Amino acid sequence: MKILNFLSSHLLKISLFFILIFSVSVNATEKIKKQTIKALYIPLADHYAALVAYDRYRSEMKYADFKIMQMKNWDFLRAYFQEGSADMAFVMSPLAMSMYQEKANFKWIGLMHRDGNALAINKFIIKEITLSKNRIDRKPTAELADAMRNIHEDRNESIRVGVPHILSTHSVVLYRYLKENNLAFSIDKDNRAAVQAISVAPPKAPAFIKGQSARAIPAAFEQSLPWADVVETEGFGKIAWYSKDVMKWPNGHIECIAIGSDNAINTKYKAMQEVMEYIKIGGEDIEKARNAGGAELDEIVAIVRKYIPTHTSDAIIASLDPKLNVINYKNLDIEKAGLKQIMDYAVDGKILHESIDIDAFADQRFNRKMIGIE
């Protein structure tokens, strides 16, 4: 009997030992099974939530090995994503729709932010209008449009306005403002139009304004934050208005969206879903920090400058000013009606050639309610 008890006891210990080894092995295997999610971004305030998610939370992710890659310009991002070299990309909505028209092998999986761009003007336009001292009071009134009309008539030459890409929400916002003030808009060189939109890479937009001023040429740019704030904080231009006051929409107009390749969604669904959820958490962190100020905001500024050192602390803080509230990182689920607003103006302005099927484009499984988060 003693021998049987002895053997039983040792067999139990051996069994427990193997169960422990198996458990450790399973846990190790689970860690190994993390799937790489490579996301492309442009150095803009539009993509700050992704930077916060990457910096603060990538080590907490259970399914995703989250990686980010900064692109030099929108065309490079487009080509890189479309050739299948990334799982996700953060893209201006008209550009994303154009990409979808060309090759419908990806889906819209969420928003990156709402609102977030502004029109900055140089001194030769500033002198023709009266700007409020406080940026919060600068609205898209007819006064600026009248000044642009007069400048165009005097010079018989279109005023060039730099946008990050012709296929940008910025072009759409500019088109809407001009249309509502009866000014002609062109994306081609046509001096009969009061305003010509031209592509200017966001980091080069402040230099574009300075260069035109040096040649005594009236000019402007419609760009994402913080580049308009750079112009104002460094004293060689002024913000005329913010996009949120032109493209009005509940919770803020749609701007940059997150897209995911069909292949990544099909083979890495949980990892993709996890990354998108942490981006939304990163956005919540920014909203909390901007309202708290102090050390909390300093931490966000430090994260941004780690990955985008060209963004000055002053410009980041100005962009995130809670009183202005000109960009926000709330309500980042898919919103079809909001995208339709942008699409309809883009088609009307001949920025997009035709509409897309938004129902087919959107994958609402990434919305928080769909994954049990309210």
Side-chain angles (χ1 to χ4, degrees):
M1 195 66 170
K2 286 183 179 178
I3 293 172
L4 286 174
N5 288 338
F6 174 81
L7 288 172
S8 240
S9 173
H10 276 70
L11 282 171
L12 181 59
K13 288 177 182 177
I14 290 167
S15 298
L16 289 172
F17 173 76
F18 279 109
I19 289 169
L20 179 61
I21 293 296
F22 178 74
S23 176
V24 170
S25 175
V26 168
N27 288 336
T29 304
E30 285 179 353
K31 287 183 181 179
I32 292 168
K33 282 185 177 177
K34 267 193 175 187
Q35 294 176 294
T36 298
I37 301 297
K38 186 176 182 181
L40 309 179
Y41 76 100
I42 295 284
L44 300 169
D46 304 20
H47 303 162
Y48 284 176
L51 300 182
V52 174
Y54 176 78
D55 194 83
R56 283 186 170 174
Y57 300 115
R58 71 182 184 276
S59 62
E60 295 183 16
M61 296 183 189
K62 295 177 181 178
Y63 303 104
D65 177 17
F66 185 34
K67 298 183 183 299
I68 56 174
M69 184 174 181
Q70 188 178 124
M71 298 281 103
K72 292 180 179 178
N73 59 59
W74 289 109
D75 286 327
F76 189 34
L77 181 148
R78 177 180 192 157
Y80 200 89
F81 182 79
Q82 287 188 311
E83 71 182 17
S85 297
D87 304 294
M88 294 176 71
F90 313 136
V91 189
M92 298 174 297
S93 51
L95 177 57
M97 288 186 276
S98 174
M99 290 165 62
Y100 189 74
Q101 287 169 341
E102 185 178 308
K103 201 171 186 180
N105 61 350
F106 63 90
K107 295 290 187 293
W108 171 28
I109 61 175
L111 306 185
M112 295 307 295
H113 68 104
R114 291 175 181 268
D115 299 332
N117 62 71
L119 183 75
I121 55 179
N122 74 356
K123 62 183 180 180
F124 293 98
I125 301 178
I126 294 169
K127 70 179 184 178
E128 301 298 326
I129 63 174
T130 303
L131 276 179
S132 299
K133 182 178 179 180
N134 297 320
R135 287 177 297 151
I136 197 170
D137 297 321
R138 299 177 197 168
K139 303 299 179 185
T141 64
E143 184 186 12
L144 174 61
D146 291 340
M148 291 176 125
R149 183 180 292 107
N150 293 336
I151 291 169
H152 175 239
E153 289 173 356
D154 289 345
R155 295 174 59 88
N156 197 31
E157 187 175 0
S158 299
I159 298 169
R160 297 199 302 166
V161 179
V163 294
H165 195 283
I166 296 303
L167 290 163
S168 65
T169 320
H170 312 66
S171 298
V172 177
V173 171
L174 179 64
Y175 166 72
R176 179 174 180 175
Y177 170 75
L178 296 172
K179 179 183 180 181
E180 290 179 351
N181 287 282
N182 301 309
L183 274 187
F185 166 88
S186 175
I187 56 176
D188 303 307
K189 189 166 179 56
D190 178 3
N191 285 324
R192 291 173 299 175
V195 170
Q196 179 197 0
I198 63 168
S199 291
V200 176
K204 295 181 180 179
F208 167 71
I209 285 271
K210 287 180 88 171
Q212 296 298 96
S213 293
R215 297 175 181 83
I217 299 173
F221 71 65
E222 167 73 4
Q223 295 278 356
S224 294
L225 304 177
W227 298 111
D229 292 297
V230 167
V231 167
E232 179 115 1
T233 56
E234 295 190 8
F236 50 86
K238 293 284 187 183
I239 292 169
W241 45 251
Y242 291 98
S243 63
K244 74 181 184 70
D245 296 313
V246 176
M247 195 66 68
K248 291 185 177 181
W249 191 255
N251 300 318
H253 71 74
I254 285 179
E255 234 293 345
C256 273
I257 64 175
I259 58 175
S261 73
D262 287 347
N263 181 61
I265 293 170
N266 292 335
T267 61
K268 309 176 185 181
Y269 177 67
K270 282 187 177 180
M272 292 282 282
Q273 195 179 62
E274 183 176 50
V275 168
M276 201 62 230
E277 177 55 26
Y278 273 110
I279 287 171
K280 293 169 186 176
I281 292 169
E284 290 168 354
D285 286 358
I286 295 172
E287 291 294 333
K288 183 172 178 289
R290 75 195 293 186
N291 288 305
E296 286 192 47
L297 181 57
D298 290 344
E299 286 180 20
I300 297 296
V301 171
I303 289 172
V304 171
R305 301 208 70 240
K306 185 190 299 186
Y307 303 100
I308 316 177
T310 52
H311 288 195
T312 66
S313 296
D314 286 346
I316 296 167
I317 291 168
S319 298
L320 298 179
D321 185 339
K323 292 179 182 176
L324 280 175
N325 195 32
V326 292
I327 185 170
N328 81 76
Y329 305 89
K330 297 180 284 189
N331 303 296
L332 299 184
D333 279 349
I334 285 167
E335 187 198 326
K336 294 179 185 179
L339 187 67
K340 187 176 186 301
Q341 181 199 38
I342 301 297
M343 182 178 72
D344 289 348
Y345 275 104
V347 172
D348 189 54
K350 297 180 172 55
I351 295 161
L352 275 177
H353 296 303
E354 59 185 357
S355 301
I356 66 165
D357 182 344
I358 293 176
D359 288 332
F361 183 46
D363 189 339
Q364 290 186 288
R365 291 178 299 165
F366 288 84
N367 282 1
R368 283 182 150 185
K369 285 184 179 180
M370 296 298 290
I371 59 176
I373 299 174
E374 296 294 335

